[in-house]
Amino acid sequence: MQQTMGKALNVRGATKTYRTQSGEVHALKDVDLTVRQGEFIAVVGPSGCGKTTLLWSIAGLHRLTSGAIALGEEWITGPHPSIGMMFQEANLLPWRTVRKNIDLPFEIRGHRPEEARIQTLLQRVGLDGFGDKMPRELSGGMQQRASIVRALASDPSVLLMDEPFGALDAFTRDEMNKLVEEIWLEARKTVILITHSIAEAVFLADKVYIMSARPGRIARVVDIPFPRPRSLDLMETREFFDLVNRIKHDIQHQPAALPAMARSGATS
Amino acid sequence: MSETSQAGARIMGATGIASGLGDQGARETAAIVAVALLVIGGAELLLRLFQVPQYILPAPSAIAGVFVSHEIPTILQHYAYTLVELLAGYAIGASIGLALAAVITQFPFVEKVITPYILLLVTTPMLALVPLLILNFGFGFTPRIIAVALASGPMVMINAATGFRRVDTMKIALARSCGASTLQIFTKIRIPMAMPMVIVGLMIGAIFGMITAVGAEMSGGGFGLGSRLTTYSSTLRMPEFFACIVILAVTGITIYAFFFWLGKRLAGWES
């Protein structure tokens, strides 16, 4: 074990079962996951593999059927102030200005917005002077920038990202990935990224967790060896391409190899 | 999200909140004034040309004349009664309607049980109940205020309920991820989401309220603009009759314009 685990995020035996009319659906089954403080991990897998359920459970938005989640010494049983979340398609409230959207978490917690921090973040993501704009006046990429600021404004130690860039075009997406890496290198948050894009996962993460569906479980963990900071040119390299293809192959051919790998992979 | 907001926008469009009365350029304004003058002037001309008797259809000039005649203080006095009934009845009806919509949409089962009765209230012409109300409450303000409340309340409720029923899981999850309480989710997410439909409901309710107030006045009691309409038409005083109609039309347009403005301010994000 590492000497300084800091506030690691631990998921142990996470199981989530939904009851539907056609029977029980195992969205998650015995998922174990450890994310060290400051580590950036990505979770990929086919649709319906339960990756969003996993993330929402960590955010305290879903109750697990069994298993437990802890941040450092603390059990996560509901939304936690040290855990920030970015949603699909920015999820800005369309009736609030950018600035009012960023203030929302503070409003809800009854705190004053951290003015200096918000200004720095707005500048950092290139939204300086856009505070009074309404979300619909911004492009998809700009909306996601605002959503990054909202998630980071209260300085959480963990950032959860739920397929945040899925709706963006390829160029904007690359741009956002670069920005996310830069910000992560500066702030060293613990990050869990859920994505459909294997390239995005490989580009951003230290480790990529591959999930399989029905029941949703961790099938494999792949360490990403590329040094940081990573430039977008990395995506053009042979090594990058090969790694992405290997992961893609793993996702497509996983069922048979599942049980053994799940165990060894998740605890490595 | 985009689906529901589009539906909302469509409803706003259908009731005209999003169209008409917008910011027109100078040329559009000029065209609107020109058409209005043409219609009024044309009516004046035709009615004079064919020597249509005043008791069939008075000319615009004759109607305008009423507004500077001795009759106008009387008309305005009765108009004031109508406004009192409208405002009192609407205040009661709209607030009950809004509160009911906000509460019952949180409890789908209760909503299922109550909705048929609300629909019954929406579809029943409240004017039909006025004679009964008069029988119970006399010829004063009371039966009219009750009728206005009964006409406007269900309209407000049924539209507002449509708004409150809009759920956006992602936005509610966002609020919850920040630790929002049920009340905070209501004030910060559900109410703003419902606002466009709430305003549509308030507008339709106000207009239905006005129609009902005037109709109730026509059923008896001897005061209010509705009773003036009855008096003038039975005595063939058509210019006065139409002057009352003009006042009511202006009131209706004012109600519409007010809620259009309110919609732009409070729910402009959706159009």
Side-chain angles (χ1 to χ4, degrees):
Chain A
M1 276 285 178
Q2 291 88 349
Q3 276 197 317
T4 49
M5 281 292 280
K7 274 195 169 186
L9 187 82
N10 274 295
V11 178
R12 286 290 165 266
T15 299
K16 174 84 181 173
T17 314
Y18 294 106
R19 271 205 189 84
T20 64
Q21 282 168 332
S22 51
E24 289 194 340
V25 176
H26 296 277
L28 293 176
K29 191 162 170 69
D30 283 331
V31 171
D32 290 340
L33 193 73
T34 299
V35 192
R36 293 194 315 274
Q37 184 169 23
E39 191 177 31
F40 196 133
I41 72 147
V43 181
V44 297
S47 299
C49 70
K51 50 191 193 295
T52 291
T53 305
L54 174 64
L55 197 76
W56 281 46
S57 303
I58 297 170
L61 295 170
H62 279 330
R63 278 257 154 135
L64 291 173
T65 310
S66 67
I69 298 168
L71 176 61
E73 310 278 280
E74 254 182 291
W75 297 114
I76 300 293
T77 51
H80 192 283
S82 301
I83 299 179
M85 179 131 170
M86 273 181 76
F87 291 85
Q88 292 170 24
E89 292 172 28
N91 202 18
L92 298 176
L93 304 181
W95 53 86
R96 284 173 172 248
T97 61
V98 167
R99 183 51 210 267
K100 286 263 165 97
N101 263 287
I102 293 167
D103 289 349
L104 180 79
F106 294 98
E107 248 177 70
I108 287 173
R109 292 177 188 133
H111 298 165
R112 304 251 313 269
E114 288 170 40
E115 207 58 45
R117 204 182 146 70
I118 290 170
Q119 283 311 323
T120 314
L121 279 166
L122 280 172
Q123 264 168 14
R124 185 65 194 80
V125 302
L127 276 183
D128 202 16
F130 284 86
D132 292 331
K133 294 263 186 266
M134 298 304 277
R136 67 192 155 117
E137 297 176 276
L138 305 185
S139 67
M142 303 252 272
Q143 291 190 19
Q144 270 302 359
R145 288 163 193 263
S147 146
I148 292 178
V149 176
R150 178 172 63 191
L152 293 179
S154 45
D155 203 13
S157 58
V158 178
L159 178 61
L160 307 177
M161 302 171 81
D162 185 10
E163 292 178 36
F165 308 131
L168 301 180
D169 63 83
F171 290 114
T172 315
R173 191 170 190 152
D174 285 351
E175 213 177 281
M176 296 306 296
N177 286 341
K178 190 81 200 95
L179 180 69
V180 166
E181 200 212 9
E182 283 168 16
I183 290 177
W184 177 76
L185 285 171
E186 289 159 20
R188 290 284 175 173
K189 305 283 180 204
T190 307
V191 181
I192 302 180
L193 167 73
I194 302 287
T195 180
H196 275 126
S197 159
I198 297 167
E200 181 172 88
V202 172
F203 179 76
L204 283 172
D206 298 323
K207 273 183 195 161
V208 174
Y209 286 73
I210 303 169
M211 282 185 78
S212 65
R214 279 171 287 271
R217 60 204 306 177
I218 306 269
R220 237 172 91 76
V221 188
V222 179
D223 283 303
I224 308 300
F226 305 117
R228 295 186 189 267
R230 298 171 184 169
S231 87
L232 288 172
D233 295 337
L234 172 68
M235 292 191 177
E236 322 269 305
T237 62
R238 179 89 218 175
E239 292 77 14
F240 186 86
F241 192 73
D242 286 346
L243 193 49
V244 168
N245 274 333
R246 221 184 80 205
I247 294 173
K248 195 177 285 174
H249 183 269
D250 282 349
I251 293 176
Q252 280 157 358
H253 301 88
Q254 60 193 190
L258 230 169
M261 278 178 157
R263 285 288 133 208
S264 63
T267 47
S268 71
Chain B
M1 148 70 210
S2 63
E3 258 174 59
T4 50
S5 69
Q6 271 173 12
R10 232 179 296 128
I11 292 158
M12 299 281 272
T15 50
I17 277 203
S19 58
L21 286 175
D23 333 288
Q24 301 98 356
R27 285 179 64 186
E28 276 181 58
T29 315
I32 288 166
V33 171
V35 169
L37 286 177
L38 213 70
V39 169
I40 296 169
E44 181 81 31
L45 202 72
L46 287 173
L47 291 171
R48 282 181 186 231
L49 204 67
F50 294 101
Q51 298 183 322
V52 178
Q54 213 168 54
Y55 60 82
I56 293 183
L57 198 60
S61 59
I63 299 169
V66 175
F67 287 93
V68 290
S69 70
H70 298 306
E71 194 64 16
I72 198 67
T74 316
I75 291 177
L76 289 182
Q77 177 68 57
H78 285 275
Y79 179 49
Y81 296 140
T82 306
L83 285 184
V84 167
E85 294 155 16
L86 174 58
L87 287 175
Y90 181 65
I92 296 167
S95 39
I96 294 177
L98 274 182
L100 217 56
V103 173
I104 71 161
T105 45
Q106 305 309 305
F107 306 99
F109 176 72
V110 179
E111 196 183 348
K112 251 182 212 151
V113 175
I114 288 184
T115 303
Y117 302 97
I118 303 297
L119 279 174
L120 193 78
L121 285 174
V122 167
T123 49
T124 308
M126 286 307 147
L127 284 177
L129 294 186
V130 171
L132 183 76
L133 291 171
I134 289 176
L135 210 63
N136 282 306
F137 300 100
F139 282 104
F141 279 109
T142 317
R144 298 162 172 199
I145 290 173
I146 293 173
V148 171
L150 280 174
S152 56
M155 287 292 170
V156 173
M157 202 224 111
I158 208 143
N159 283 286
T162 308
F164 282 114
R165 232 177 279 126
R166 293 167 71 177
V167 276
D168 189 323
T169 322
M170 296 301 277
K171 290 186 174 57
I172 290 170
L174 165 72
R176 280 186 52 215
S177 77
C178 304
S181 64
T182 309
L183 182 68
Q184 281 176 319
I185 289 171
F186 198 76
T187 56
K188 294 189 191 299
I189 308 288
R190 287 187 192 270
I191 289 183
M193 290 251 297
M195 200 47 90
M197 287 309 297
V198 165
I199 290 169
V200 168
L202 286 174
M203 183 187 71
I204 298 176
I207 288 172
F208 265 74
M210 187 187 83
I211 294 169
T212 306
V214 174
E217 289 163 352
M218 293 175 84
S219 307
F223 65 98
L225 217 50
S227 84
R228 284 287 96 189
L229 287 173
T230 320
T231 310
Y232 293 139
S233 62
S234 61
T235 52
L236 295 185
R237 294 171 70 183
M238 283 304 147
E240 285 83 356
F241 177 88
F242 276 98
C244 294
I245 297 285
V246 168
I247 291 174
L248 289 172
V250 169
T251 310
I253 292 170
T254 308
I255 291 172
Y256 175 87
F258 170 72
F259 285 106
F260 175 75
W261 170 83
L262 199 69
K264 265 201 149 174
R265 269 198 61 131
L266 299 181
W269 54 274
E270 191 154 71
S271 52

